[in-house]
Amino acid sequence: MKKSALFILVIFLFFSIMNAQLKAVKYNDGDQVLNGLSIKAAKKSSQNPGILLLPAWLGIDNASKEIAENLSKLGYTVFIADIYGEGNYPTNTSEAGKQAGYYKKNYEAYQKRIQLALDQLIKSGANADNIVAIGYCFGGTGVLEAGRGHLNVKGVVSFHGGLGKDAARPSETITTKVLACHGADDPFVSKEEIAAFQQEMRDTKADWQMIYYANSVHSFTNPEAGNDNSKGAAYNAVAAKRSFEHLKLFLNEVLKK
């Protein structure tokens, strides 16, 4: 290879890498400032597939950033949503529980914040009709709300998320594809909640899948969750790897690239 051609290739790779970095994005819900993160696909595609990522209840964390970077390398533009907003970020699990609890109860407010993040993903370059929403724990609950709220996403993937909704809420047809990745030993999601979710999926005529991972509890995808299953939340490397492979299969089926 000639030196000039090699130089051009190096410059091209350099800027490709530079463009595939997480970038802070400020946006708003009325007067509330929100702070999301955006990352471009490392390789361009005419279909511009996008992924909206909803983080766990402590907000944007290292785990969600790493997942976004890995998905970018696979050719997806990713936006990590900020649900709580500036001045409302929890500093411990007690505060996180209160914040997450508010949005679980006030699901329409949750759906609105998800839609605002979806708008930012589209502004980042994703095709508005070629998007999947994925979420972890509290975010896993959120992507199911995206499906229930008929947001324009091709599919939703919930990782160790809360699956339930208020029984008084009517179940409407869910047109987006649904994948629930669940720890088989998760103590925070009851058998009754699982049964209600599965019945909801049947009643709404959803195209859905639910995959259980052995020896896994809550937060099994998060390396910072420790490895003590007795605490109810712990990392499981095998389950994390398997669930990411299941995510890739789902994306390949649902999105155009």
Side-chain angles (χ1 to χ4, degrees), residues 62-64 66-67 219-227 234-237 240:
N62 292 329
S64 58
E66 183 177 354
I67 290 163
S219 300
F220 63 80
T221 64
N222 189 347
E224 296 181 358
N227 56 11
Y235 177 60
N236 184 303

Side-chain angles (χ1 to χ4, degrees), residues 77-199:
T77 293
V78 186
F79 188 82
I80 308 177
D82 175 12
I83 300 300
Y84 302 136
E86 209 166 90
N88 300 308
Y89 303 127
T91 58
N92 54 54
T93 56
S94 177
E95 292 178 4
K98 291 177 183 178
Q99 288 278 23
Y102 170 82
Y103 286 99
K104 288 178 181 179
K105 183 177 180 180
N106 297 277
Y107 65 90
E108 290 179 335
Y110 200 1
Q111 290 171 351
K112 181 183 180 184
R113 289 281 168 94
I114 296 168
Q115 179 61 59
L116 291 170
L118 188 60
D119 294 341
Q120 293 302 316
L121 173 60
I122 295 165
K123 288 181 181 179
S124 298
N127 182 338
D129 297 316
N130 199 27
I131 290 171
V132 160
I134 69 174
Y136 298 80
C137 300
F138 169 56
T141 304
V143 296
L144 295 178
E145 288 300 340
R148 291 171 180 138
H150 302 108
L151 275 61
N152 186 28
V153 292
K154 304 287 284 185
V156 299
V157 184
S158 173
F159 294 88
H160 41 82
L163 305 173
K165 67 176 180 63
D166 188 334
R169 283 174 63 186
S171 294
E172 300 179 9
T173 300
I174 293 177
T175 56
T176 188
K177 296 180 187 293
V178 178
L179 170 61
C181 298
H182 188 69
D185 301 325
D186 189 332
F188 300 124
V189 181
S190 68
K191 293 179 180 179
E192 292 76 15
E193 184 175 335
I194 292 170
F197 165 73
Q198 293 182 355
Q199 189 60 50

